[in-house]
Amino acid sequence: MSEITRIVLADDHALVRDGIRSLLETESDLQVIGEASNGKEAIDLVGEVNPDILIIDIRMPVMNGIDAVAELTQSKSSVKTIILSMHDSEEYILKSISSGANGYLLKDTDKSEFIKAIHTVREGGKYFSGDISNVLVNNLLGGKNEIIKKEETPKKTAENVFDLTNKELKVLELVLSGLTNQQISEKLQNSKRTIETHRFNLMRKMDVKNLIDLSKKSQKYNLI
């Protein structure tokens, strides 16, 4: 019988935690032993139950996930940490790695990659979502920490005006090129539902209601 990996989940949405728990508990060697709704609760819970892995979101009240991971790293905690986030921006990835996170996954990661990441981190490795640039990760792991310092104050680029993620920018480009959601899902190898979510989010962030307005605002802010 495989050794059980004991896991704590931290996310401020109970439905998200329930979904992750249900997914993980289909695996006989994974066990969720606690849940937290913010970074401070996660730190306290890790101290109480001593899990093998903490899976934590970034944006949460009281204390965010990156600060929580940094505090655990500074306290020499033995827990291994995986950031699970909807954000694929360099700022978040760089700060997460700098904080000491052992892995970074996007929330649209499929089950097989999620489980693989947990096993890799449990065994002492590092795991980053396939959507994250391998070059970026290799540079960071090679010790180029000056990149992190430069990113601590985000540049006021067009994408930061709307807080668009790299994936949303890619979807925006493909939408404006005339592709349908189905065609985009095939091109990016994501589900159609995931593409629809990205499309909804970018239109909400940019405060537009239709493709004409989306195109006009994208041109105005040099997104295309």
Side-chain angles (χ1 to χ4, degrees):
M1 181 176 178
S2 300
E3 181 181 356
I4 300 295
T5 297
R6 301 160 70 250
I7 298 170
V8 163
L9 304 177
D11 193 293
D12 58 330
H13 295 98
L15 283 176
V16 173
R17 298 197 306 270
D18 289 345
I20 298 172
R21 176 188 283 270
S22 297
L23 183 151
L24 297 182
E25 289 184 344
T26 62
E27 302 295 311
S28 60
D29 63 337
L30 303 180
Q31 180 184 12
V32 176
I33 60 171
E35 299 181 16
S37 61
N38 61 63
K40 181 66 168 61
E41 286 183 6
I43 291 172
D44 292 342
L45 191 55
V46 166
E48 292 172 12
V49 301
N50 192 30
D52 300 303
I53 292 179
L54 168 65
I55 297 174
I56 188 168
D57 188 21
I58 291 180
R59 288 190 173 182
M60 296 183 292
V62 184
M63 178 184 284
N64 68 56
I66 294 175
D67 287 346
V69 170
E71 188 165 320
L72 288 167
T73 300
Q74 291 168 5
S75 68
K76 309 297 183 183
S77 171
S78 63
V79 69
K80 294 179 173 63
T81 54
I82 297 175
I83 298 283
L84 181 64
S85 174
M86 64 177 288
H87 301 285
D88 62 351
S89 69
E90 283 192 9
E91 178 193 358
Y92 283 122
I93 296 166
L94 288 165
K95 287 187 175 181
S96 295
I97 298 172
S98 179
S99 73
N102 302 99
Y104 192 110
L105 293 173
L106 300 179
K107 285 187 174 178
D108 60 2
T109 298
D110 61 32
K111 178 183 177 180
S112 61
E113 184 175 19
F114 195 8
I115 301 303
K116 180 180 179 182
I118 291 172
H119 288 156
T120 299
V121 169
R122 178 70 174 90
E123 293 166 5
K126 293 183 180 293
Y127 196 98
F128 300 93
S129 174
D131 286 335
I132 296 172
S133 167
N134 287 329
V135 173
L136 173 63
V137 173
N138 287 336
N139 284 341
L140 284 167
L141 297 183
K144 296 187 178 179
N145 293 323
E146 66 272 16
I147 301 176
I148 297 170
K149 294 177 182 177
K150 291 176 183 177
E151 290 295 328
E152 286 179 353
T153 303
K155 297 177 182 177
K156 293 296 183 181
T157 55
E159 59 264 34
N160 275 331
V161 171
F162 301 109
D163 195 28
L164 299 182
T165 66
N166 291 337
K167 180 61 72 64
E168 287 165 353
L169 286 168
K170 184 62 179 178
V171 169
L172 173 64
E173 176 188 343
L174 295 175
V175 166
L176 295 180
S177 72
L179 298 186
T180 65
N181 289 343
Q182 182 61 44
Q183 290 171 324
I184 295 172
S185 72
E186 293 170 359
K187 188 175 185 66
L188 298 183
Q189 297 183 327
N190 287 132
S191 70
K192 182 180 177 182
R193 184 173 181 179
T194 296
I195 299 304
E196 289 171 347
T197 299
H198 285 311
R199 185 167 178 165
F200 171 82
N201 285 336
L202 70 89
M203 292 187 75
R204 173 181 57 80
K205 290 178 179 180
M206 294 178 68
D207 192 27
V208 296
K209 304 298 183 183
N210 55 58
L211 282 176
I212 294 176
D213 291 342
L214 182 67
S215 178
K216 288 180 178 178
K217 188 164 280 190
S218 297
Q219 291 177 13
K220 178 180 179 180
Y221 287 92
N222 298 316
L223 295 175
I224 57 174

